[in-house]
Amino acid sequence: MSEQSIYYFDNNATTRVAPEVVAAMLPYLTEQWGNPSSAYSFGNQLGEALTAARESAAALLNADPREIIFNSCGTEANNAVLNSALLTQPGKRHIITTAVEHSANIKFGEVHEKRGGEVTWIPVDRAGQLDVHEIAEAIRKDTAIVSVMLANNETGVIFPLEEIAALCRAKGVLCHTDAVQTPGKLPLDVKAMGIDFLSLSAHKLHAPKGIGLLYARRGVPWQPYLIGGGQEQGRRGGTENVAQIVAFGKAAELAIASLENDASRIRAQRDRMEAALMDTIPGVTRNGAKEPRTPNTSNLSFANCEAEAILLLLDRAGICASSGSACTTGSLAPSYVLTAMGVAPEHALSSVRLSLSKYTTDAEIDFLLEQLPPIIATLRGASPRPEIAAASEISG
Ligand code: PLP
């Protein structure tokens, strides 16, 4: 399928690499391919490129460049921080996280439980929101860390991290946030947020897959997850992925320059798309709170239609969307995020996530609005249960 014929509404899964990012990283694959740790200048001159990228990434977060640890992805960042919190505090075996985190946290927590550790899984309500008091009540003397995502990848619902971090600080507990779904969509300021750790992944920000970072507040105890060379100031072994780090730096720079414009345009496009779908198709409900929510995400349930069938027909029209997180695509089980919100299985199985980016055009949205209503009508016509459940909006 040619690039022209793709209508991309799955930016929470991954994003198109910005041409400026490709241009910035290419020289580090073609000409300047040395090892930055080498003693000769062909290698060690790359230090400048790494420093500039680290400064840009730090600026995106209002962090100090020394607080940035480049790694391979958001999954590594989340695993590394939970692992470090347990290793640096051997007497503390209790983790607090939520039931709707990315599988990087969920699976880590499950393995921790199997190894005899304890995890408190903070629940969410029907709007996908949590109650900070439940975190306060769950904190114990042996709590190693509280890890709560900033925005959910399936619904876009934003959690109150400033409040959670303040609570953790008051109780002397480490606080981490998985902010993978937020750069380029929300302003990020680790100082204002007051957190100890924050994870990002470049492929959600118009840079390539396979590069992520962890912000680790200066002075916070740290044990590396990958043990090897002394790269990243001894905090993450492995030869620096120079081209990808440069790409991340460029993507950060672009995001800083256009955040305000991008976020408000994307929000207006998302709201137009969502309102049109809810107005023109009967039996459409939103999953998750309307606000606070990332400006690009819409998770909608289409009564009496299977999401997998909708996605198949959308795909035939060249439209890319998903039924939940890319990591669980292909699973026939309802989304664990929607299930944790108390969404009924048949409702969850009819839910589609549409996620926009700064590259989404009005014409793409018009095309979706033209294609989706007849797809739903066709599927409902073929459904053995043509009646449409009364639409009850799930919002908060
Ligand atoms: N955290 C969240 C909220 C995500 O959405 C994702 C990716 O989907 C990740 C972590 C994992 O990032 P990566 O794909 O870089 O491992």
Side-chain angles (χ1 to χ4, degrees):
M1 191 178 278
S2 77
E3 181 132 347
Q4 258 73 16
S5 61
I6 286 181
Y7 300 82
Y8 192 72
F9 289 89
D10 203 14
N11 287 280
N12 286 10
T14 198
T15 56
R16 176 194 197 120
V17 181
E20 299 93 325
V21 168
V22 176
M25 72 185 285
L26 266 184
Y28 298 93
L29 294 171
T30 51
E31 292 144 29
Q32 295 176 263
W33 41 262
N35 185 328
S37 302
S38 299
Y40 42 81
S41 52
F42 178 65
N44 66 31
Q45 69 189 4
L46 296 170
E48 280 173 33
L50 293 180
T51 301
R54 200 179 301 281
E55 282 169 0
S56 300
L60 181 68
L61 300 173
N62 191 27
D64 184 301
R66 290 168 293 186
E67 296 173 314
I68 302 299
I69 306 172
F70 284 115
N71 57 25
S72 69
C73 59
T75 299
E76 182 188 329
N78 286 8
N79 278 203
V81 78
L82 296 175
N83 181 66
S84 174
L86 293 168
L87 290 182
T88 56
Q89 307 168 98
K92 300 188 175 184
R93 304 280 296 150
H94 177 232
I95 292 172
I96 298 174
T97 190
T98 78
V100 295
E101 297 294 310
H102 185 263
S103 48
N105 265 36
I106 302 276
K107 296 273 168 63
F108 189 101
E110 288 170 357
V111 168
H112 181 59
E113 284 177 325
K114 282 200 186 110
R115 290 177 180 158
E118 279 185 79
V119 179
T120 298
W121 303 97
I122 301 295
V124 293
D125 62 17
R126 193 64 205 267
Q129 291 170 318
L130 57 72
D131 180 351
V132 178
H133 293 110
E134 296 210 40
I135 298 179
E137 276 168 25
I139 292 177
R140 316 187 314 211
K141 279 207 173 72
D142 65 338
T143 302
I145 190 161
V146 172
S147 176
V148 174
M149 70 202 320
L150 183 53
N152 187 269
N153 41 306
E154 293 196 23
T155 61
V157 170
I158 296 171
F159 287 145
L161 254 299
E162 264 186 60
E163 221 184 307
I164 295 167
L167 171 71
C168 291
R169 242 186 351 270
K171 300 216 177 201
V173 178
L174 293 175
C175 185
H176 163 247
T177 189
D178 170 350
V180 164
Q181 288 294 341
T182 61
K185 303 169 196 166
L186 306 179
L188 294 172
D189 183 334
V190 286
K191 294 200 175 71
M193 225 187 280
I195 40 133
D196 298 303
F197 301 105
L198 178 147
S199 306
L200 290 186
S201 175
H203 75 100
K204 314 286 186 179
L205 187 65
H206 306 293
K209 288 160 255 317
I211 177 78
L213 69 75
L214 182 72
Y215 154 81
R217 186 176 55 73
R218 257 170 87 68
V220 78
W222 180 253
Q223 276 286 328
Y225 192 53
L226 291 193
I227 303 159
Q231 294 90 353
E232 298 299 303
Q233 299 130 71
R235 293 172 300 175
R236 198 266 186 184
T239 301
E240 294 90 341
N241 192 345
V242 180
Q244 303 266 62
I245 290 173
V246 167
F248 203 161
K250 188 67 189 179
E253 227 178 82
L254 295 173
I256 295 167
S258 64
L259 172 70
E260 249 175 62
N261 282 341
D262 290 347
S264 57
R265 194 183 57 251
I266 294 168
R267 180 184 298 280
Q269 287 177 319
R270 189 273 315 270
D271 289 348
R272 174 169 84 88
M273 173 190 77
E274 194 173 87
L277 292 174
M278 293 177 87
D279 287 351
T280 56
I281 307 175
V284 181
T285 53
R286 180 177 44 248
N287 292 309
K290 189 170 185 195
E291 294 296 339
R293 184 170 53 139
T294 46
N296 76 319
T297 305
S298 182
N299 189 313
L300 299 175
S301 182
F302 298 86
N304 292 332
C305 284
E306 279 179 23
E308 293 310 311
I310 301 172
L311 296 176
L312 191 81
L313 295 184
L314 284 175
D315 187 27
R316 283 195 195 149
I319 298 172
C320 308
S322 74
S323 56
S325 98
C327 310
T328 50
T329 297
S331 148
L332 291 177
S335 143
Y336 68 84
V337 170
L338 298 184
T339 302
M341 288 161 60
V343 173
E346 67 276 15
H347 194 85
L349 287 167
S350 69
S351 298
V352 171
R353 178 185 72 184
L354 298 160
S355 49
L356 282 54
S357 83
K358 67 176 181 177
Y359 292 120
T360 306
T361 63
D362 289 333
E364 273 184 295
I365 292 176
D366 291 341
F367 186 71
L368 175 80
L369 294 178
E370 188 188 296
Q371 296 292 316
L372 193 45
I375 286 176
I376 301 298
T378 304
L379 291 173
R380 283 181 180 159
S383 163
R385 292 190 302 129
E387 78 282 355
I388 294 159
S392 59
E393 187 168 304
I394 306 151
S395 60

